[in-house]
Amino acid sequence: MIATDLDGTLLRDDKTISQRTTAALAAAEDAGVEVFFVTGRPLRWMGVVAQHLAGHGMAIAANGAAVYDLRAGTLIEAFPLPEDDALAIAHALRAAIPGTTFAIERTFCFRREPGYPPIEADDSLPRAGIEELLAADRGQPLLKLLAKHPSLDPDEFLATALTLAGGHGEITRSSESALLEISGAGVSKATTLAKCCAERGVTAAEVVAFGDMPNDLAMLGWAGFPYAVANAHPRVLAATRYRTGSNNDDGVARVIERLLAARAERAERTDRTDRADRADRTDRLP
């Protein structure tokens, strides 16, 4: 299996995918290698990605909180953040780090506090405090709590949040700004990928994974063949065994092409050996 992050890893900085990368992914699936897209993106943003990747079946979205079928456009499974944990985290961060604002991601619903920066082109949705946000839309699972600070160093913000509230959820980040992404305790890209692999009879040793940011660390630590793209966060580069080119230089495609070429060469060698063995046995017949 190939498991790849999207933003900063597979997607170029302009959020497009090169023809080379598209071809490499298709070649992998033609060779019997399943492709999983493992992203921090919410489900409401997967439609744009699916325009490029709809030929490749499955995505793990929201940092492991959801499994999504790209072909059918349907949610397969969700691993929500309990609302009481989300509220406990919000209260702890707001008390210790003034200026922190919050938003929430449900299955197909985004809501933000008045002070949280808008991220949608049409931001006409009603805004409210975190208590009101969590009380609304309860028919949809709560996939992520987002915490934003206007000026803190992103790594400092993450370290402080882990100390203050790490027991209530899985806290990570993938943005260049001070934006934290918070899932349910024990829910990460790694845990959901491991579950999906187990359901398919795929072991960690058979997984090639690609990533660039701290939210990819657990997945890269679990996979048998972890690759950091050249533009990855320093922590990811330091923790990851293998390297490849940047997201703008088809880093993922380069590895896939090498792996498929090596696999084809091994298959050809095996075939030649089998043919030679059959010929030798034929020569020995009385």
Side-chain angles (χ1 to χ4, degrees):
M1 180 182 286
I2 291 167
T4 179
D5 174 53
L6 292 177
D7 297 279
T9 300
L10 190 77
L11 303 181
R12 296 180 290 196
D13 288 347
D14 63 0
K15 307 304 180 186
T16 64
I17 300 174
S18 72
Q19 291 183 353
R20 180 178 181 179
T21 295
T22 300
L25 294 170
E29 290 202 325
D30 288 344
V33 180
E34 189 163 9
V35 176
F36 256 72
F37 302 103
V38 190
T39 179
R41 282 182 172 234
L43 296 182
R44 61 196 175 86
W45 284 357
M46 294 305 293
V48 174
V49 180
Q51 293 176 13
H52 303 286
L53 310 178
H56 317 290
M58 302 296 292
I60 293 170
N63 289 330
V67 182
Y68 190 65
D69 186 330
L70 283 167
R71 291 190 183 95
T74 56
L75 177 69
I76 302 301
E77 193 168 10
F79 307 96
L81 168 66
E83 290 166 10
D84 56 348
D85 282 326
L87 194 59
I89 293 169
H91 285 164
L93 294 184
R94 177 159 284 155
I97 312 173
T100 303
T101 55
F102 299 94
I104 63 169
E105 292 278 5
R106 293 191 182 272
T107 314
F108 294 103
C109 170
F110 171 77
R111 297 287 185 270
R112 68 183 179 94
E113 290 187 321
Y116 191 96
I119 59 175
E120 301 288 349
D122 178 12
D123 191 45
S124 59
L125 295 173
R127 295 180 286 278
I130 186 61
E131 290 84 359
E132 291 80 7
L133 295 181
L134 290 171
D137 304 302
R138 282 181 165 160
Q140 299 183 43
L142 177 61
L143 300 183
K144 282 200 295 187
L145 171 69
L146 302 170
K148 178 82 172 175
H149 196 276
S151 59
L152 273 182
D153 173 81
D155 287 324
E156 178 186 346
F157 192 27
L158 174 59
T160 302
L162 287 169
T163 299
L164 290 171
H168 288 283
E170 196 77 21
I171 306 175
T172 187
R173 76 176 191 85
S174 63
S175 172
E176 297 295 338
S177 64
L179 172 62
L180 302 181
E181 303 168 49
I182 304 160
S183 306
V187 176
S188 70
K189 290 186 175 186
T191 58
T192 304
L193 178 61
K195 183 178 186 296
C196 291
C197 285
E199 291 169 352
R200 291 159 173 78
V202 176
T203 67
E206 296 171 302
V207 176
V208 181
F210 301 89
D212 74 310
M213 289 297 281
N215 66 326
D216 296 313
L217 282 168
M219 174 178 73
L220 294 170
W222 178 81
F225 295 90
Y227 282 84
V229 289
N231 53 291
H233 186 281
R235 282 180 57 201
V236 176
L237 290 169
T240 305
R241 182 177 178 185
Y242 302 106
R243 304 280 186 276
T244 186
S246 74
N247 65 316
N248 289 323
D249 195 30
D250 293 307
V252 173
R254 290 170 184 267
V255 175
I256 294 173
E257 290 163 356
R258 290 200 304 269
L259 293 174
L260 293 180
R263 182 175 178 172
E265 184 179 346
R266 287 194 301 271
E268 176 60 26
R269 284 201 305 267
T270 300
D271 185 56
R272 286 198 303 267
T273 300
D274 289 344
R275 289 198 303 268
D277 287 345
R278 287 195 298 270
D280 183 59
R281 287 195 297 272
T282 300
D283 291 341
R284 293 179 186 178
L285 289 173

